[in-house]
Amino acid sequence: MIEIVSPGPFATVQDLGRPGLAEIGVGESGAADRRSLRLANRLVGNREGAAGVELTFGGLVARFRRATVIAFAGASCPVRVAGRAAGMFAPVHVRAGDEVRVGAPADGLRTYLAVRGGVDVPPVLGSRATDVLSGLGPPPLAPGRVLPIGGQAEGRITVDLAPQPRRPEEPVLSVVPGPRDDWFAPEALTALCSAPYEVSVDSNRVGIRLRGPVLRRRAVRELDPEAMVPGALQVPPAGQPVLFLADHPLTGGYPVIGVVAEADLHLAAQARPGGRIRFRLTRPG
C-alpha cells in the first residue's frame, strides 16, 4: 500500500485510458504524457499500460507500507527516499516504512511514478485513469488516501538507468491542417507557424490555452458540434487556439484549424504556464 501524505499541487492515478468508447460518450483520458508513463513502467518491469501516479509540478510525499521498486519519468524532479537522494529514470528500491519526497521540476510539468505491480485501484470502464472533465475514475489524490499496489508485474527489471535527452525550451509541434482550415483566412496557417505561443495559466489536462498570433476566421457562421481528438487545435472567436489534451471534450462547436501529431503530444503535455511552444506545418502522408 502507498499512503499519500501530500499529493503536491495536483496528482491523479493514470494509465493509458479508455480507448474506443467515444460512441457511448466516454473520452479516452489516460496519462497526458504517455511516453513517460510507459518508460516508468518499463523501468520497474510492468506492462506499459499499468496504472501509476501523474504529478503536476511535483510535490508528492508518500509513505510505502511494504518494500517494492519504483521509478520516476517525465519532468525531472529532485527525489528523496528515506532521506536519501534518488535518481529519475531509474528503478529505485524502497523498504517498508520508507517515505518518498518529490520536489518541484526545474522544467517540464508532469512527472510519473510507477510502482512494480501497478497502482491497483478499481477500474472504471476498463481503466484506472482519472478523467477530470467527466469525473470518471478515482478522484484526484488527497492527503490520507491509500493506494493498493497490484501484483501483476510482467517481467524482470533489466535496466538500471534510461538517460533522456534534454527537453527543448521551446518545443516545435507538428500540425496537420484541417479538418476546418478552410474556415480561416488564407494567411491563418502561416500565422499559426510564424511565432511562438505562450501557454496560459488557464491550462490543464483538458487543454492548453495559448496566447500568440491571432488566427482570423473567414467563415463567421456557426459550426455544428463535431468530434474532437487529442491534439486538436480548436479556435474560439477571439482567434487564440486551444490545444486539446487527454481529458478533452468529445465534441466542440468551434472550428479546428489543425491537429498536432500524436508523436508530439508528450511535448505539449510538458508545456508549463508561461512557457512557449511553436507549430510546424506538415502534410498527411
Side-chain angles (χ1 to χ4, degrees):
M1 309 285 279
I2 308 169
E3 178 188 352
I4 304 300
V5 179
S6 172
F10 187 71
T12 56
V13 175
Q14 297 295 339
D15 55 20
L16 296 183
R18 304 177 179 86
L21 300 179
E23 64 180 13
I24 62 170
V26 176
E28 187 167 347
S29 189
D33 178 355
R34 296 174 187 274
R35 178 178 294 188
S36 292
L37 176 63
R38 288 185 172 109
L39 173 60
N41 274 320
R42 291 198 303 270
L43 286 167
V44 297
N46 288 346
R47 58 181 178 82
E48 289 188 343
V53 177
E54 179 183 277
L55 311 178
T56 303
F57 280 121
L60 177 75
V61 181
R63 186 173 296 114
F64 284 73
R65 296 184 179 176
R66 70 169 173 86
T68 187
V69 181
I70 64 174
F72 291 93
S76 292
C77 300
V79 176
R80 301 192 74 83
V81 176
R84 306 181 304 274
M88 293 279 302
F89 311 112
V92 177
H93 292 266
V94 297
R95 299 167 299 186
D98 277 356
E99 188 175 84
V100 174
R101 289 182 170 267
V102 183
D107 62 7
L109 182 62
R110 294 180 170 93
T111 303
Y112 293 84
L113 164 63
V115 55
R116 184 165 173 82
V119 174
D120 195 24
V121 296
V124 177
L125 295 177
S127 170
R128 296 175 169 86
T130 299
D131 186 329
V132 300
L133 184 63
S134 71
L136 286 174
L141 300 185
R145 178 80 182 276
V146 175
L147 301 176
I149 298 174
Q152 300 190 14
E154 292 195 344
R156 295 183 300 167
I157 297 172
T158 58
V159 176
D160 58 5
L161 181 64
Q164 298 298 296
R166 183 178 178 85
R167 185 172 295 105
E169 292 185 8
E170 197 173 280
V172 180
L173 311 182
S174 297
V175 176
V176 177
R180 294 296 182 181
D181 53 310
D182 58 337
W183 278 50
F184 293 85
E187 69 276 8
L189 283 171
T190 300
L192 176 69
C193 303
S194 65
Y197 282 85
E198 181 180 333
V199 177
S200 166
V201 295
D202 299 320
S203 301
N204 54 25
R205 283 179 43 85
V206 175
I208 302 173
R209 293 187 178 274
L210 299 169
R211 292 193 295 258
V214 173
L215 306 180
R216 190 167 59 87
R217 280 174 57 172
R218 175 172 56 189
V220 294
R221 63 189 185 276
E222 295 297 321
L223 178 69
D224 291 335
E226 293 186 321
M228 293 290 139
V229 297
L233 280 166
Q234 189 184 66
V235 185
Q240 298 290 281
V242 178
L243 172 54
F244 282 151
L245 295 181
D247 291 350
H248 66 88
L250 293 180
T251 62
Y254 298 129
V256 171
I257 192 172
V259 178
V260 171
E262 184 179 358
D264 288 347
L265 287 179
H266 71 285
L267 296 171
Q270 294 295 351
R272 62 200 300 173
R276 303 199 303 179
I277 60 177
R278 286 181 173 268
F279 296 105
R280 176 182 57 223
L281 204 60
T282 60
R283 298 290 176 180

